[in-house]
Amino acid sequence: TLILQQQSGDNQCWAFSGQAGQVVLQLAKVVRVTGVTIEHVRPSPDLSNAPRNIVVWDHEDNTHLMNLTYSISTGSSSVQTFPLPSSTSISKLRLEITSNWGHPEHTCLYRVRVHGVQEEVDNKKTVIEVDSSVELM
């Protein structure tokens, strides 16, 4: 199922049934991931469908990378970046949303950014900063 599409609309989200779900992001290349950014549209009359607790995994190795909590408090930003405790090289990143902020029917994920560094091989190390951004619908 296609849920990822580059676009610039605020009102597009990937809505899934219930309070828990997961998505696997295939990166264009192997990247040493250093962080993940989650964004939920604001202002919104009801933030209860925003993701709350998220577990980030290396999908291929099934390795736990970090737990994060997206905040909906009035002082928090709609765009929240979570640095990985230690960078790791991966090509598939799995986001497991384990809860939302109380909406009983669905959870919405608006935007995910994966931050990292691509390292080329062949005994030459070329470092390229990567900021992959996709909107989920």
Side-chain angles (χ1 to χ4, degrees), residues 7-15 39-45 49 106 108-111 135-137:
Q7 54 185 10
S8 59
D10 277 345
N11 297 324
Q12 301 272 327
C13 82
W14 175 55
E39 184 175 351
H40 191 83
V41 69
R42 295 191 198 177
S44 174
N49 67 0
H106 68 273
C108 283
L109 199 54
Y110 281 88
R111 191 173 202 181
E135 293 188 13
L136 306 172
M137 55 177 241

PDB file of all heavy atoms in Angstrom, residues 7-15 39-45 49 106 108-111 135-137:
ATOM      1  N   GLN A   7       4.552  15.960  -0.841  1.00  0.00           N
ATOM      2  CA  GLN A   7       3.639  17.038  -1.165  1.00  0.00           C
ATOM      3  C   GLN A   7       3.671  18.067  -0.055  1.00  0.00           C
ATOM      4  O   GLN A   7       4.339  17.884   0.933  1.00  0.00           O
ATOM      5  CB  GLN A   7       2.223  16.544  -1.418  1.00  0.00           C
ATOM      6  CG  GLN A   7       1.642  15.702  -0.304  1.00  0.00           C
ATOM      7  CD  GLN A   7       0.291  15.161  -0.702  1.00  0.00           C
ATOM      8  OE1 GLN A   7      -0.109  15.258  -1.847  1.00  0.00           O
ATOM      9  NE2 GLN A   7      -0.420  14.598   0.222  1.00  0.00           N
ATOM     10  N   SER A   8       2.941  19.149  -0.229  1.00  0.00           N
ATOM     11  CA  SER A   8       3.048  20.242   0.727  1.00  0.00           C
ATOM     12  C   SER A   8       1.726  20.592   1.394  1.00  0.00           C
ATOM     13  O   SER A   8       1.541  21.702   1.844  1.00  0.00           O
ATOM     14  CB  SER A   8       3.615  21.478   0.024  1.00  0.00           C
ATOM     15  OG  SER A   8       2.762  21.839  -1.034  1.00  0.00           O
ATOM     16  N   GLY A   9       0.810  19.684   1.485  1.00  0.00           N
ATOM     17  CA  GLY A   9      -0.472  19.966   2.113  1.00  0.00           C
ATOM     18  C   GLY A   9      -0.455  19.705   3.604  1.00  0.00           C
ATOM     19  O   GLY A   9       0.138  18.748   4.064  1.00  0.00           O
ATOM     20  N   ASP A  10      -1.093  20.583   4.376  1.00  0.00           N
ATOM     21  CA  ASP A  10      -1.139  20.419   5.826  1.00  0.00           C
ATOM     22  C   ASP A  10      -2.160  19.391   6.274  1.00  0.00           C
ATOM     23  O   ASP A  10      -2.036  18.828   7.348  1.00  0.00           O
ATOM     24  CB  ASP A  10      -1.493  21.754   6.488  1.00  0.00           C
ATOM     25  CG  ASP A  10      -0.285  22.635   6.659  1.00  0.00           C
ATOM     26  OD1 ASP A  10       0.844  22.134   6.546  1.00  0.00           O
ATOM     27  OD2 ASP A  10      -0.484  23.834   6.904  1.00  0.00           O
ATOM     28  N   ASN A  11      -3.183  19.181   5.499  1.00  0.00           N
ATOM     29  CA  ASN A  11      -4.289  18.363   5.968  1.00  0.00           C
ATOM     30  C   ASN A  11      -4.223  16.913   5.514  1.00  0.00           C
ATOM     31  O   ASN A  11      -5.189  16.186   5.621  1.00  0.00           O
ATOM     32  CB  ASN A  11      -5.612  18.992   5.528  1.00  0.00           C
ATOM     33  CG  ASN A  11      -5.798  20.351   6.146  1.00  0.00           C
ATOM     34  OD1 ASN A  11      -5.409  20.568   7.293  1.00  0.00           O
ATOM     35  ND2 ASN A  11      -6.352  21.283   5.403  1.00  0.00           N
ATOM     36  N   GLN A  12      -3.106  16.467   5.005  1.00  0.00           N
ATOM     37  CA  GLN A  12      -2.942  15.086   4.560  1.00  0.00           C
ATOM     38  C   GLN A  12      -2.263  14.290   5.670  1.00  0.00           C
ATOM     39  O   GLN A  12      -1.212  14.680   6.159  1.00  0.00           O
ATOM     40  CB  GLN A  12      -2.069  15.046   3.312  1.00  0.00           C
ATOM     41  CG  GLN A  12      -2.610  15.832   2.151  1.00  0.00           C
ATOM     42  CD  GLN A  12      -3.549  15.006   1.299  1.00  0.00           C
ATOM     43  OE1 GLN A  12      -3.378  13.816   1.166  1.00  0.00           O
ATOM     44  NE2 GLN A  12      -4.538  15.643   0.723  1.00  0.00           N
ATOM     45  N   CYS A  13      -2.848  13.180   6.042  1.00  0.00           N
ATOM     46  CA  CYS A  13      -2.203  12.332   7.039  1.00  0.00           C
ATOM     47  C   CYS A  13      -2.390  10.872   6.658  1.00  0.00           C
ATOM     48  O   CYS A  13      -3.246  10.525   5.859  1.00  0.00           O
ATOM     49  CB  CYS A  13      -2.754  12.593   8.444  1.00  0.00           C
ATOM     50  SG  CYS A  13      -4.299  11.750   8.857  1.00  0.00           S
ATOM     51  N   TRP A  14      -1.547  10.036   7.234  1.00  0.00           N
ATOM     52  CA  TRP A  14      -1.761   8.602   7.149  1.00  0.00           C
ATOM     53  C   TRP A  14      -2.534   8.245   8.404  1.00  0.00           C
ATOM     54  O   TRP A  14      -2.003   8.285   9.516  1.00  0.00           O
ATOM     55  CB  TRP A  14      -0.440   7.843   7.069  1.00  0.00           C
ATOM     56  CG  TRP A  14      -0.637   6.356   7.112  1.00  0.00           C
ATOM     57  CD1 TRP A  14      -1.426   5.615   6.293  1.00  0.00           C
ATOM     58  CD2 TRP A  14      -0.040   5.433   8.029  1.00  0.00           C
ATOM     59  NE1 TRP A  14      -1.357   4.280   6.637  1.00  0.00           N
ATOM     60  CE2 TRP A  14      -0.510   4.147   7.694  1.00  0.00           C
ATOM     61  CE3 TRP A  14       0.843   5.570   9.090  1.00  0.00           C
ATOM     62  CZ2 TRP A  14      -0.128   3.008   8.395  1.00  0.00           C
ATOM     63  CZ3 TRP A  14       1.228   4.435   9.783  1.00  0.00           C
ATOM     64  CH2 TRP A  14       0.741   3.171   9.432  1.00  0.00           C
ATOM     65  N   ALA A  15      -3.811   7.973   8.220  1.00  0.00           N
ATOM     66  CA  ALA A  15      -4.673   7.619   9.351  1.00  0.00           C
ATOM     67  C   ALA A  15      -4.841   6.115   9.367  1.00  0.00           C
ATOM     68  O   ALA A  15      -5.182   5.513   8.352  1.00  0.00           O
ATOM     69  CB  ALA A  15      -6.034   8.296   9.210  1.00  0.00           C
ATOM     70  N   GLU A  39       6.076  15.138  13.011  1.00  0.00           N
ATOM     71  CA  GLU A  39       5.295  16.375  12.939  1.00  0.00           C
ATOM     72  C   GLU A  39       3.812  16.035  12.885  1.00  0.00           C
ATOM     73  O   GLU A  39       3.398  15.127  12.173  1.00  0.00           O
ATOM     74  CB  GLU A  39       5.692  17.161  11.686  1.00  0.00           C
ATOM     75  CG  GLU A  39       5.006  18.496  11.556  1.00  0.00           C
ATOM     76  CD  GLU A  39       5.520  19.307  10.374  1.00  0.00           C
ATOM     77  OE1 GLU A  39       6.521  18.916   9.743  1.00  0.00           O
ATOM     78  OE2 GLU A  39       4.897  20.355  10.085  1.00  0.00           O
ATOM     79  N   HIS A  40       3.032  16.772  13.658  1.00  0.00           N
ATOM     80  CA  HIS A  40       1.572  16.646  13.646  1.00  0.00           C
ATOM     81  C   HIS A  40       1.001  18.040  13.436  1.00  0.00           C
ATOM     82  O   HIS A  40       1.481  19.001  14.023  1.00  0.00           O
ATOM     83  CB  HIS A  40       1.068  16.056  14.968  1.00  0.00           C
ATOM     84  CG  HIS A  40      -0.374  15.657  14.938  1.00  0.00           C
ATOM     85  ND1 HIS A  40      -0.782  14.451  14.423  1.00  0.00           N
ATOM     86  CD2 HIS A  40      -1.485  16.304  15.333  1.00  0.00           C
ATOM     87  CE1 HIS A  40      -2.099  14.362  14.527  1.00  0.00           C
ATOM     88  NE2 HIS A  40      -2.548  15.472  15.076  1.00  0.00           N
ATOM     89  N   VAL A  41      -0.013  18.168  12.592  1.00  0.00           N
ATOM     90  CA  VAL A  41      -0.538  19.477  12.218  1.00  0.00           C
ATOM     91  C   VAL A  41      -1.121  20.212  13.441  1.00  0.00           C
ATOM     92  O   VAL A  41      -1.760  19.611  14.302  1.00  0.00           O
ATOM     93  CB  VAL A  41      -1.588  19.341  11.089  1.00  0.00           C
ATOM     94  CG1 VAL A  41      -2.858  18.670  11.571  1.00  0.00           C
ATOM     95  CG2 VAL A  41      -1.879  20.681  10.460  1.00  0.00           C
ATOM     96  N   ARG A  42      -0.790  21.499  13.500  1.00  0.00           N
ATOM     97  CA  ARG A  42      -1.340  22.384  14.532  1.00  0.00           C
ATOM     98  C   ARG A  42      -1.552  23.742  13.905  1.00  0.00           C
ATOM     99  O   ARG A  42      -0.846  24.105  12.977  1.00  0.00           O
ATOM    100  CB  ARG A  42      -0.373  22.518  15.708  1.00  0.00           C
ATOM    101  CG  ARG A  42      -0.176  21.223  16.453  1.00  0.00           C
ATOM    102  CD  ARG A  42       0.566  21.480  17.725  1.00  0.00           C
ATOM    103  NE  ARG A  42       1.115  20.231  18.226  1.00  0.00           N
ATOM    104  CZ  ARG A  42       1.870  20.144  19.295  1.00  0.00           C
ATOM    105  NH1 ARG A  42       2.202  21.220  19.953  1.00  0.00           N
ATOM    106  NH2 ARG A  42       2.319  18.999  19.694  1.00  0.00           N
ATOM    107  N   PRO A  43      -2.464  24.548  14.359  1.00  0.00           N
ATOM    108  CA  PRO A  43      -3.388  24.243  15.436  1.00  0.00           C
ATOM    109  C   PRO A  43      -4.437  23.241  14.983  1.00  0.00           C
ATOM    110  O   PRO A  43      -4.746  23.143  13.797  1.00  0.00           O
ATOM    111  CB  PRO A  43      -4.033  25.593  15.755  1.00  0.00           C
ATOM    112  CG  PRO A  43      -3.931  26.376  14.489  1.00  0.00           C
ATOM    113  CD  PRO A  43      -2.687  25.878  13.784  1.00  0.00           C
ATOM    114  N   SER A  44      -4.953  22.530  15.936  1.00  0.00           N
ATOM    115  CA  SER A  44      -5.964  21.525  15.650  1.00  0.00           C
ATOM    116  C   SER A  44      -6.955  21.519  16.803  1.00  0.00           C
ATOM    117  O   SER A  44      -6.543  21.613  17.963  1.00  0.00           O
ATOM    118  CB  SER A  44      -5.310  20.149  15.510  1.00  0.00           C
ATOM    119  OG  SER A  44      -6.283  19.144  15.379  1.00  0.00           O
ATOM    120  N   PRO A  45      -8.240  21.412  16.509  1.00  0.00           N
ATOM    121  CA  PRO A  45      -9.214  21.405  17.600  1.00  0.00           C
ATOM    122  C   PRO A  45      -9.123  20.138  18.452  1.00  0.00           C
ATOM    123  O   PRO A  45      -9.526  20.134  19.606  1.00  0.00           O
ATOM    124  CB  PRO A  45     -10.567  21.491  16.883  1.00  0.00           C
ATOM    125  CG  PRO A  45     -10.294  21.018  15.500  1.00  0.00           C
ATOM    126  CD  PRO A  45      -8.866  21.337  15.204  1.00  0.00           C
ATOM    127  N   ASN A  49      -5.719  12.413  18.274  1.00  0.00           N
ATOM    128  CA  ASN A  49      -5.318  11.415  17.279  1.00  0.00           C
ATOM    129  C   ASN A  49      -3.824  11.497  16.953  1.00  0.00           C
ATOM    130  O   ASN A  49      -3.328  10.759  16.104  1.00  0.00           O
ATOM    131  CB  ASN A  49      -6.164  11.518  16.012  1.00  0.00           C
ATOM    132  CG  ASN A  49      -5.933  12.807  15.246  1.00  0.00           C
ATOM    133  OD1 ASN A  49      -5.144  13.665  15.638  1.00  0.00           O
ATOM    134  ND2 ASN A  49      -6.651  12.962  14.143  1.00  0.00           N
ATOM    135  N   HIS A 106      -8.885   6.288  15.656  1.00  0.00           N
ATOM    136  CA  HIS A 106      -7.773   6.311  14.707  1.00  0.00           C
ATOM    137  C   HIS A 106      -6.614   7.168  15.219  1.00  0.00           C
ATOM    138  O   HIS A 106      -6.766   7.974  16.128  1.00  0.00           O
ATOM    139  CB  HIS A 106      -8.230   6.811  13.331  1.00  0.00           C
ATOM    140  CG  HIS A 106      -8.626   8.253  13.301  1.00  0.00           C
ATOM    141  ND1 HIS A 106      -9.893   8.674  13.602  1.00  0.00           N
ATOM    142  CD2 HIS A 106      -7.914   9.369  13.025  1.00  0.00           C
ATOM    143  CE1 HIS A 106      -9.965   9.979  13.500  1.00  0.00           C
ATOM    144  NE2 HIS A 106      -8.762  10.445  13.155  1.00  0.00           N
ATOM    145  N   CYS A 108      -3.298   9.574  13.525  1.00  0.00           N
ATOM    146  CA  CYS A 108      -2.820  10.240  12.310  1.00  0.00           C
ATOM    147  C   CYS A 108      -1.336  10.538  12.422  1.00  0.00           C
ATOM    148  O   CYS A 108      -0.883  11.086  13.421  1.00  0.00           O
ATOM    149  CB  CYS A 108      -3.558  11.557  12.083  1.00  0.00           C
ATOM    150  SG  CYS A 108      -5.213  11.343  11.419  1.00  0.00           S
ATOM    151  N   LEU A 109      -0.618  10.194  11.378  1.00  0.00           N
ATOM    152  CA  LEU A 109       0.804  10.528  11.268  1.00  0.00           C
ATOM    153  C   LEU A 109       0.930  11.441  10.054  1.00  0.00           C
ATOM    154  O   LEU A 109       0.597  11.051   8.941  1.00  0.00           O
ATOM    155  CB  LEU A 109       1.608   9.248  11.092  1.00  0.00           C
ATOM    156  CG  LEU A 109       3.087   9.273  11.390  1.00  0.00           C
ATOM    157  CD1 LEU A 109       3.373   9.801  12.789  1.00  0.00           C
ATOM    158  CD2 LEU A 109       3.671   7.886  11.233  1.00  0.00           C
ATOM    159  N   TYR A 110       1.385  12.671  10.271  1.00  0.00           N
ATOM    160  CA  TYR A 110       1.436  13.659   9.192  1.00  0.00           C
ATOM    161  C   TYR A 110       2.774  13.701   8.481  1.00  0.00           C
ATOM    162  O   TYR A 110       2.834  13.747   7.268  1.00  0.00           O
ATOM    163  CB  TYR A 110       1.100  15.058   9.727  1.00  0.00           C
ATOM    164  CG  TYR A 110      -0.370  15.268   9.899  1.00  0.00           C
ATOM    165  CD1 TYR A 110      -0.996  14.917  11.095  1.00  0.00           C
ATOM    166  CD2 TYR A 110      -1.147  15.781   8.879  1.00  0.00           C
ATOM    167  CE1 TYR A 110      -2.359  15.095  11.255  1.00  0.00           C
ATOM    168  CE2 TYR A 110      -2.504  15.965   9.026  1.00  0.00           C
ATOM    169  CZ  TYR A 110      -3.113  15.611  10.222  1.00  0.00           C
ATOM    170  OH  TYR A 110      -4.454  15.768  10.371  1.00  0.00           O
ATOM    171  N   ARG A 111       3.869  13.743   9.248  1.00  0.00           N
ATOM    172  CA  ARG A 111       5.164  13.869   8.595  1.00  0.00           C
ATOM    173  C   ARG A 111       6.241  13.226   9.449  1.00  0.00           C
ATOM    174  O   ARG A 111       6.249  13.374  10.660  1.00  0.00           O
ATOM    175  CB  ARG A 111       5.487  15.342   8.385  1.00  0.00           C
ATOM    176  CG  ARG A 111       6.659  15.585   7.487  1.00  0.00           C
ATOM    177  CD  ARG A 111       6.787  17.064   7.205  1.00  0.00           C
ATOM    178  NE  ARG A 111       7.545  17.260   5.982  1.00  0.00           N
ATOM    179  CZ  ARG A 111       7.842  18.420   5.486  1.00  0.00           C
ATOM    180  NH1 ARG A 111       7.439  19.517   6.090  1.00  0.00           N
ATOM    181  NH2 ARG A 111       8.537  18.521   4.393  1.00  0.00           N
ATOM    182  N   GLU A 135       5.836  12.977   3.540  1.00  0.00           N
ATOM    183  CA  GLU A 135       4.562  13.190   4.171  1.00  0.00           C
ATOM    184  C   GLU A 135       3.775  11.901   4.034  1.00  0.00           C
ATOM    185  O   GLU A 135       3.797  11.258   3.002  1.00  0.00           O
ATOM    186  CB  GLU A 135       3.834  14.370   3.557  1.00  0.00           C
ATOM    187  CG  GLU A 135       4.549  15.657   3.864  1.00  0.00           C
ATOM    188  CD  GLU A 135       3.779  16.866   3.445  1.00  0.00           C
ATOM    189  OE1 GLU A 135       2.584  16.739   3.138  1.00  0.00           O
ATOM    190  OE2 GLU A 135       4.384  17.949   3.450  1.00  0.00           O
ATOM    191  N   LEU A 136       3.111  11.546   5.105  1.00  0.00           N
ATOM    192  CA  LEU A 136       2.357  10.304   5.131  1.00  0.00           C
ATOM    193  C   LEU A 136       0.890  10.611   4.925  1.00  0.00           C
ATOM    194  O   LEU A 136       0.358  11.542   5.487  1.00  0.00           O
ATOM    195  CB  LEU A 136       2.561   9.627   6.490  1.00  0.00           C
ATOM    196  CG  LEU A 136       4.015   9.404   6.871  1.00  0.00           C
ATOM    197  CD1 LEU A 136       4.099   8.920   8.293  1.00  0.00           C
ATOM    198  CD2 LEU A 136       4.676   8.433   5.930  1.00  0.00           C
ATOM    199  N   MET A 137       0.269   9.807   4.062  1.00  0.00           N
ATOM    200  CA  MET A 137      -1.166  10.010   3.871  1.00  0.00           C
ATOM    201  C   MET A 137      -1.875   8.684   3.805  1.00  0.00           C
ATOM    202  O   MET A 137      -1.313   7.679   3.653  1.00  0.00           O
ATOM    203  CB  MET A 137      -1.446  10.805   2.614  1.00  0.00           C
ATOM    204  CG  MET A 137      -0.850  10.233   1.344  1.00  0.00           C
ATOM    205  SD  MET A 137      -1.325  11.231  -0.041  1.00  0.00           S
ATOM    206  CE  MET A 137      -2.211   9.997  -0.952  1.00  0.00           C
TER     207      MET A 137
END
